[in-house]
Amino acid sequence: MRLPDFEAWAIFATVAEHRSFSGAAEALGVSKATISKAITRLEASLGTALFHRTSRRLTLTPSGESLNANAQRILAEGQAAEESAHDAASAPAGLIRIAAPMTFGISHVAPAIADFMAAHPAVSIDLRLSDAKVDIVADRFDIALRIADLPDSSLRARRLAPVTARVVASAVYLERRGRPRHPLELGEHDIFAYANVPTTTWTFRGPGGEDVAVRPNGRFSSDNGDAMLPLLHAGLGIARLPDFIVDADIAAGRLEAILPEWSGPPIALHLVTPPSPLRPARVELLIEFLAERFRQLCGART
């Protein structure tokens, strides 16, 4: 049986990440010639080119694009196996890369990370905040926090806490435009759209089991919920936002929840990791820490 060329796969993954033979050589601490020979060896074994090479640019071929996720997984699992063996004999140490939504990341993830790092001084954190969906395998994240109704995938997902989406508007807007009593009446209102979802349709289920779908029709859309707050306060429209964004404004009277008897699709905070069950001990430790932290947060809010 011929074994896979694991070294070449790992080198390919590193070149694909850096888009540079020189960058990969520096990251791995080897010569550029070693990088070039490994890529040539892998291309010969596969019978296909993995990169387009010019004097100024290195890009993945279609074959390289399709194989990149597998290569990243091979590299990540090899690193995880070595790190797990090392961590078993020492205190948790090393880097953890995390992706999280912008608003929730600032308000809740960053404070949790501060407490975790204070308790584990040998652990480093790279926290990236964006409301866009990231490819956690290709982008080499250890953990991603997502607020959604997750589709089935090869990723490992752990549900941490439910999240309630509330339809809200200011009293100024409701006095001027009227208070909707049924979701179908939203079609007559200025509705803010959230740009990071595949469909802008709002779905509702009523107290009697009635299902209703409404397409937002307004002058404003954004890929971040916090960006909608100034427009809501100014009385410019209606939005549907998660409770951790709007609950403080509702409590202070700046916004009002409308259509409270109509529920939206179930969403929750999930912790997502790459498919491999192999994870460094420091990552396992942070997963359990975040799970407990956000379970308590949800309990305090409900």
Side-chain angles (χ1 to χ4, degrees), residues 8-299:
W9 279 104
I11 287 174
F12 165 58
T14 308
V15 175
E17 178 185 0
H18 291 271
R19 293 296 195 271
S20 164
F21 279 28
S22 299
E26 182 178 353
L28 295 174
V30 300
S31 68
K32 186 177 176 181
T34 298
I35 299 293
S36 181
K37 288 177 182 177
I39 297 301
T40 299
R41 192 168 70 240
L42 185 58
E43 289 178 328
S45 173
L46 296 172
T48 185
L50 299 173
F51 295 99
H52 292 301
R53 304 169 178 83
T54 68
S55 59
R56 294 185 177 182
R57 194 176 179 193
L58 186 73
T59 59
L60 287 164
T61 65
S63 294
E65 289 282 3
S66 66
L67 292 169
N68 186 30
N70 288 331
Q72 299 293 342
R73 189 175 299 115
I74 290 169
L75 177 58
E77 290 190 1
Q79 291 173 329
E82 290 186 354
E83 291 173 2
S84 293
H86 176 268
D87 289 345
S90 61
L95 176 66
I96 304 174
R97 301 193 70 235
I98 308 169
M102 179 69 71
T103 299
F104 189 80
I106 293 172
S107 61
H108 297 302
V109 179
I113 293 303
D115 291 342
F116 182 83
M117 292 181 70
H120 302 283
V123 172
S124 301
I125 300 290
D126 180 4
L127 174 63
R128 302 300 176 96
L129 301 179
S130 172
D131 287 344
K133 184 178 179 181
V134 300
D135 185 333
I136 68 172
V137 174
D139 294 335
R140 306 280 295 278
F141 284 106
D142 298 294
I143 295 170
L145 291 163
R146 291 180 177 166
I147 298 172
D149 179 19
L150 290 185
D152 291 335
S153 76
S154 61
L155 302 176
R156 298 167 67 89
R158 179 171 175 177
R159 188 177 186 274
L160 300 185
V163 175
T164 301
R166 308 193 194 282
V167 181
V168 295
S170 70
V172 170
Y173 177 87
L174 295 173
E175 289 170 4
R176 178 167 53 87
R177 297 290 301 273
R179 178 183 295 274
R181 304 296 179 183
H182 190 282
L184 291 178
E185 296 178 15
L186 291 172
E188 304 169 4
H189 288 265
D190 292 321
I191 307 298
F192 302 154
Y194 183 60
N196 264 341
V197 293
T199 176
T200 56
T201 301
W202 288 8
T203 59
F204 294 88
R205 172 157 290 185
E210 177 187 3
D211 291 322
V212 176
V214 179
R215 182 173 292 276
N217 180 26
R219 295 185 296 143
F220 183 74
S221 66
S222 177
D223 61 357
N224 178 261
D226 265 342
M228 299 181 187
L229 291 176
L231 287 87
L232 287 167
H233 296 157
L236 296 177
I238 295 172
R240 182 157 74 178
L241 293 170
D243 47 14
F244 60 84
I245 292 181
V246 297
D247 274 359
D249 278 320
I250 292 173
R254 292 184 292 268
L255 296 176
E256 296 183 25
I258 58 179
L259 301 171
E261 67 278 13
W262 290 82
S263 61
I267 57 174
L269 172 66
H270 294 85
L271 189 150
V272 183
T273 57
S276 173
L278 289 173
R279 289 192 287 256
R282 64 181 180 275
V283 176
E284 291 284 4
L285 197 64
L286 180 56
I287 288 173
E288 295 306 317
F289 178 86
L290 293 176
E292 178 62 17
R293 177 75 165 241
F294 295 136
R295 183 189 65 79
Q296 291 180 349
L297 173 69
C298 175

